[in-house]
Each structure stands twice: as structure tokens, then as C-alpha cells.
Amino acid sequence: AQSVTQLGSHVSVSEGALVLLRCNYSSSVPPYLFWYVQYPNQGLQLLLKYTSAATLVKGINGFEAEFKKSETSFHLTKPSAHMSDAAEYFCAVSKGTPLVFGKGTRLSVIA
Amino acid sequence: SAVISQKPSRDICQRGTSLTIQCQVDSQVTMMFWYRQQPGQSLTLIATANQGSEATYESGFVIDKFPISRPNLTFSTLTVSNMSPEDSSIYLCSVDSTSGSYEQYFGPGTRLTVT
């Protein structure tokens, strides 16, 4: 069964610093991969997705992720953190619906 | 993308009662999903609902506890029956993309507290 592992349940960065949220997938065949963000008391919003086209995927709000098959990874990055980026981030995988989610990483941004 | 609304947005219920959550989509979709997000946890799929057929439940979830209806291509309901405090969670409705990219769109969620 496919799954994703998010390393680090909580990541804290300073405002303006690099954001790196880690996600590794488990699948014998590269799946579709997604990053979602959940702001407090809200539903999930799609940040970006990998669907076997370009390995470097750009998303909304300045986020991007790189698919690395050799490392079975799909880490999320942003060059400069903003206070508004504080939220819960979920990596998800699909080989056909429905999505399977990782446990999530809470990002805190310190002024 | 699809716009999804859920009712109610939140509720506080007594144990032993039932609550029905509604999910409305602004376009016709084939598959709808119900997820549970327990406090501080990730999302767990409860069931998949296709129009015109019985919902498919994931391991650990049963129809008697979480009956689902899917009367048409834009609407679904999830009922949480005979509630206990352990049912306190956020319940999210989701639909699949029609673009074939397997992404899903989510409603704002229903925050349920059982006392």
C-alpha cells in the first residue's frame, strides 16, 4: 500500500529564513504527489502537485517541491518564510483516488 | 476547481445522539469522500461515496456508525450515529478533480464536539 512519511511533526523557522518540510513516499511506481496547507480552523488548500511532468513543481504562495525518484522524496521548500505561512502542511499520495495523507507538519514562523 | 460547502460548520452534541453533515458541490462530480481529522491528527478516510451505489467504507469504519447518502452528483450527507466523546473531530467532505490529475478539493469542514 502506498504511504507518505513526513519527517518532523513541528518545524520552527525565523521570518525570512528558508522553509524545508520533508516528505518521503513509499511506492514501487512513482505516484502522484501533493502538498496541502491547512490554516487554523479552515479546510485544506492545494499548494502544489506532481503528476509525472516536470520534477520541480512550483505552487502558490512561493512554495515549490522537487520530486526525486532516487530518494523517493518530495520535499517542500520556500526561500523566505512569512508570518502568514504558519499553518499545518500535509503531504499526500495517490495512485488513483482517494488521497492518502501523511501525519502533517506544523510550521511556526518566528518574528 | 470545485467549491464545496458544508453544513453545519460546527456543532456541540450530547452523547448518544446523531448528527447529519451536509456537503454541497457547485459542479457535478463522480466521487465524493468523507474524511475525519481527530484533534491534532492527520486526515483519515472514512468512506468513498459514488452516486447511485452504496458507499465504500475503510477499515475501522462501518455503515451503522457512519451512514452516508449520495442522492445526486452534487450532494452527499454523512451521519455520525450514537455519538461518544471519541467522535469529537473535524469531518471533511472532499471531491476528486475532473481533470484526471487525481487532486482533491476539500470543504471547510464540520467541527464536532461531543459532550
Side-chain angles (χ1 to χ4, degrees):
Chain A
Q2 57 193 349
S3 65
V4 290
T5 301
Q6 292 185 240
L7 298 177
S9 60
H10 185 206
V11 171
S12 184
V13 300
S14 298
E15 190 175 20
L18 172 71
V19 175
L20 171 60
L21 304 182
R22 300 177 187 274
C23 173
N24 288 87
Y25 67 91
S26 172
S27 174
S28 59
V29 177
Y32 293 105
L33 293 159
F34 307 85
W35 276 99
Y36 283 83
V37 60
Q38 185 178 36
Y39 297 103
N41 300 313
Q42 295 187 27
L44 272 71
Q45 181 181 7
L46 179 67
L47 272 178
L48 49 80
K49 62 184 178 184
Y50 168 76
T51 56
S52 75
T55 56
L56 181 62
V57 180
K58 295 187 182 298
I60 62 172
N61 301 337
F63 285 93
E64 63 181 36
E66 185 172 8
F67 173 76
K68 292 187 176 180
K69 182 178 178 180
S70 61
E71 299 177 7
T72 62
S73 68
F74 190 57
H75 302 331
L76 182 70
T77 60
K78 181 174 181 178
S80 176
H82 295 166
M83 297 297 291
S84 59
D85 294 326
E88 188 85 19
Y89 291 81
F90 294 96
C91 183
V93 63
S94 175
K95 282 295 288 181
T97 51
L99 295 175
V100 174
F101 286 87
K103 293 186 179 297
T105 298
R106 179 167 299 277
L107 175 66
S108 298
V109 182
I110 304 168
Chain B
S1 65
V3 178
I4 304 168
S5 60
Q6 287 185 233
K7 291 182 180 179
S9 59
R10 60 177 63 230
D11 207 343
I12 301 173
C13 300
Q14 299 288 326
R15 70 171 66 210
T17 62
S18 297
L19 176 71
T20 295
I21 302 168
Q22 299 179 7
C23 177
Q24 180 74 53
V25 189
D26 69 342
S27 57
Q28 294 184 337
V29 293
T30 303
M31 300 175 78
M32 298 180 76
F33 311 95
W34 288 98
Y35 287 83
R36 182 176 72 181
Q37 186 178 23
Q38 294 178 300
Q41 303 296 314
S42 185
L43 284 77
T44 301
L45 181 67
I46 297 172
T48 301
N50 289 331
Q51 193 267 335
S53 62
E54 293 288 327
T56 302
Y57 289 83
E58 298 299 303
S59 175
F61 298 95
V62 295
I63 188 172
D64 290 346
K65 176 67 175 178
F66 298 101
I68 289 171
S69 76
R70 181 77 198 275
N72 57 52
L73 292 173
T74 63
F75 188 79
S76 177
T77 67
L78 169 75
T79 298
V80 186
S81 303
N82 189 24
M83 289 184 284
S84 67
E86 292 70 34
D87 294 320
S88 297
S89 296
I90 300 172
Y91 293 86
L92 295 114
C93 173
S94 175
V95 304
D96 65 332
S97 167
T98 56
S99 67
S101 59
Y102 298 111
E103 66 198 69
Q104 289 174 217
Y105 305 111
F106 287 82
T110 295
R111 186 178 296 271
L112 171 62
T113 302
V114 183
T115 61

